[in-house]
Amino acid sequence: MLNTSEIFETIGMIDSQNLDVRTITMALSLFDCIDTSAKKVADKVYEKIVRKAGRLVEVGENIAAEYGVPIVNKRVSVTPVSLIGAASGGYTEIAKAMDRAAEATGIDFIGGYTALVQKAMTDGERRFLDTIPEAIAGTGKVCCSVNVASTKSGINLDAIGIMGRKITELARLSDSFGCGKVVVFANAVEDNPFMAGAFNGCGEGDAVINVGVSGPGVVKCALEKVKDADITTVAETVKKTAFKITRVGQLVAREAAKRLGAGFGIVDLSLAPTPKVGDSVAHILEEMGLESVGAAGTTACLALLNDAVKKGGIMASDSVGGLSGAFIPVSEDIGMINAVRKNALSIEKLEAMTAVCSVGLDMIAVPGDTSAEVISAIIADECAIGVVNNKTTAVRIIPAVGKKVGDEIDFGGLLGTAPVMNVSAYSPAKFINRGGHIPAPLHSNKN
C-alpha cells in the first residue's frame, strides 16, 4: 500500500522534477498484411494500423488526465517493412501508408521501416535499403532502423557501407532533418518503445503495449539530497529512485493495454532526457561530482547510473525490457549540448561512454561535408562496441548540410539543438570499401 508521504512524493516528481511517461507505443504485427500486390499491402497496412491504434491517443490522454501523469508521446511500431514488403517490393508505398495512418490516428511517430541485415542481405533487402532516403524524406512521421550487427552474427560491413551513403543522401534530400528519424543498430531489441529504433519483432504478439518512462530530473533531485555521501550511497539512491519511477510506468502500461484490448509487453525504464532545463542525464553525472560531463570519470559515473537504474527498475516491474538504462543523445539533453559548446565533450569521449550505457552515439551532428565512408566507419566502431560487449549500441548521426564545426542545427521540440562536432580528418575509406563481414567474436559461440 502507498502511504501519504509516497503519494505526495510522486506528485512532487511530476510537478517539479519532470517525471513523465515518455511514450506509450503500440507494437503491431503486419504479417497478415503480406501480399504480392504493392497496393494491396499498403491498403492492408493502413487499415490495420487505423483499426488497432485508432484510440491510442484518446486512451493515452484519458489515462494521463485520470492519474495525473504526463504522457508525452503516443506511438506505433510495426513488423519490419523489409519483411512485409518483400513479396511485392512496394516498400515506399508501405511507408506512405504508414504515414497516412499516423496522421489519421494522431500519433506522434510510427517506427518499423526496418531491415535486419546483421549477417547478410537478400536482393530484396538491398532494394529496401536503397529506398530509405526517399521514404524518410517523403514522409513526416515514419522512422527507420537498420540492424547491421549482432554478437551472434558479427558485423555486416557491406550494409554499413550502404547506410553511410544513404544517410548522406537523406541529409541532402531533407536538409539534414530526416536523419533524426534513422538509427543504425547492433543487437537491436524487438520490444523497444523509443523512436527512431522501435519495431515489432518477429517473436512479438499481434498487438502489444510497450511503455517508456523517464525521469532524469527526479534522479538528479534525489542525488541533491545526498551531496556529501559516498558513491555507494549514490548508487543506492539511484536504484531506489528508479524503482519509484518504474512503478508509474507499470501502472500506465497495464491500464493502456487493458483499455486498448492489447497485450502488456514491457516497461522500458530508460532515462531519456529532453532539452528542457531540469531533465538532463548530463546533469545527473555532474551531480555525482564531475565539473562537467566529458571530464575524466564520466564513463565510470555513467556505468554506475546505468547499472543502478536497471537494478531498481527490474524490482519494480514483472516485465522490464526495451533498452532500459540511460540515454545520452546530444541534441536532446541540455547538459550534453552545453558540454559540447564548451569543448568538454567530444565524439571520442561519447563513444567511450556508449560502452556502459543504453544505445550509443545518438543525435550527433557532424559537418555537412563529412564523407559517407567516415559516417560508415563511425557506425562500424559503435557496432564493434556492441558486438564485443554483447549489448545494444546504435548510431543516429546527422550530417548538417552547409554547416561546419561550431555551428548548430535546431530541430525543435524533443529533438532539440545539435552543435556540429568535429570528426577525425583521417580517412577510413579503404577499410569501409573492402566490404565483407567481420566475424562474430569467440564468446558468441555459446551453444
Side-chain angles (χ1 to χ4, degrees):
M1 292 289 290
L2 286 172
N3 60 39
T4 304
S5 65
E6 288 174 321
I7 293 171
F8 281 115
E9 183 181 30
T10 303
I11 292 171
M13 290 177 181
I14 294 167
D15 284 348
S16 60
Q17 299 168 23
N18 297 314
L19 174 63
D20 58 46
V21 170
R22 188 57 46 86
T23 179
I24 296 178
T25 300
M26 175 176 274
L28 295 175
S29 171
L30 298 184
F31 283 120
D32 53 354
C33 298
I34 293 173
D35 201 289
T36 55
S37 163
K39 183 179 185 306
K40 287 182 180 178
V41 177
D43 289 346
K44 290 178 182 180
V45 166
Y46 175 86
E47 187 278 332
K48 183 164 187 179
I49 294 169
V50 172
R51 172 166 48 87
K52 290 285 189 177
R55 295 178 52 245
L56 179 60
V57 172
E58 174 193 349
V59 166
E61 291 175 349
N62 288 343
I63 292 173
E66 289 173 28
Y67 290 95
V69 179
I71 298 174
V72 180
N73 287 289
K74 296 86 179 175
R75 300 163 172 170
V76 168
S77 65
V78 300
T79 308
V81 169
S82 64
L83 303 178
I84 302 308
S88 67
Y91 304 115
T92 55
E93 288 90 340
I94 295 173
K96 291 173 183 176
M98 291 166 62
D99 204 44
R100 292 196 305 273
E103 290 290 345
T105 56
I107 60 173
D108 297 285
F109 289 106
I110 183 164
Y113 202 75
T114 297
L116 309 177
V117 292
Q118 57 269 20
K119 192 170 186 180
M121 293 176 283
T122 65
D123 289 341
E125 285 165 334
R126 286 181 181 272
R127 289 193 294 273
F128 172 84
L129 297 184
D130 283 339
T131 70
I132 288 173
E134 177 188 354
I136 301 305
T139 56
K141 296 187 175 184
V142 175
C143 292
C144 169
S145 59
V146 181
N147 194 61
V148 297
S150 72
T151 299
K152 193 68 176 174
S153 299
I155 301 172
N156 187 342
L157 199 59
D158 289 329
I160 288 174
I162 291 171
M163 287 309 299
R165 295 192 293 274
K166 296 307 166 186
I167 289 169
T168 55
E169 183 181 342
L170 175 58
R172 291 193 298 271
L173 286 176
S174 65
D175 196 24
S176 301
F177 290 92
C179 297
K181 298 190 294 171
V182 176
V183 60
V184 184
F185 275 114
N187 292 319
V189 298
E190 299 190 341
D191 54 7
N192 167 26
F194 287 102
M195 299 297 169
F199 65 92
N200 190 42
C202 298
E204 299 292 306
D206 186 62
V208 179
I209 294 295
N210 298 318
V211 162
V213 295
S214 186
V218 178
V219 175
K220 182 178 182 297
C221 287
L223 293 184
E224 288 173 352
K225 299 173 183 177
V226 293
K227 280 186 178 294
D228 298 322
D230 64 18
I231 204 67
T232 307
T233 304
V234 168
E236 185 68 14
T237 301
V238 173
K239 185 173 69 174
K240 290 178 178 178
T241 306
F243 178 90
K244 296 170 186 176
I245 294 169
T246 307
R247 293 302 286 175
V248 174
Q250 172 94 347
L251 171 66
V252 170
R254 288 201 173 278
E255 191 63 28
K258 181 174 71 175
R259 296 187 189 190
L260 290 164
F264 164 47
I266 57 92
V267 177
D268 186 316
L269 48 102
S270 296
L271 295 180
T274 72
K276 190 190 311 182
V277 174
D279 203 22
S280 164
V281 169
H283 289 163
I284 296 174
L285 304 180
E286 290 166 1
E287 190 62 39
M288 291 182 186
L290 303 174
E291 182 179 1
S292 172
V293 66
T298 297
T299 306
C301 289
L302 184 58
L304 179 155
L305 175 64
N306 209 60
D307 180 65
V309 165
K310 290 179 185 290
K311 287 174 177 173
I314 284 171
M315 290 297 292
S317 173
D318 55 8
S319 190
V320 167
L323 299 168
S324 290
F327 288 179
I328 53 170
V330 170
S331 76
E332 299 174 13
D333 186 313
I334 188 62
M336 297 288 181
I337 293 169
N338 289 334
V340 174
R341 285 172 174 164
K342 63 187 180 185
N343 296 317
L345 189 60
S346 66
I347 286 180
E348 290 76 17
K349 184 61 177 179
L350 281 165
E351 185 179 289
M353 293 163 67
T354 65
V356 299
C357 75
S358 293
V359 200
L361 294 173
D362 195 13
M363 292 303 289
I364 307 288
V366 296
D369 61 358
T370 303
S371 71
E373 289 85 1
V374 167
I375 290 172
S376 292
I378 291 171
I379 294 169
D381 282 344
E382 198 58 39
C383 286
I385 290 172
V387 166
V388 171
N389 290 288
N390 196 24
K391 69 183 292 291
T392 302
T393 53
V395 173
R396 189 162 45 147
I397 189 167
I398 296 97
V401 174
K403 296 185 182 293
K404 61 185 186 301
V405 174
D407 293 339
E408 297 190 354
I409 181 168
D410 185 6
F411 296 97
L414 284 176
L415 295 181
T417 300
V420 177
M421 302 182 72
N422 185 53
V423 296
S424 174
Y426 295 95
S427 175
K430 185 175 180 180
F431 161 59
I432 294 299
N433 292 331
R434 284 178 181 272
H437 183 267
I438 298 175
L442 180 62
H443 62 256
S444 70
N445 191 5
K446 294 182 179 180
N447 290 338

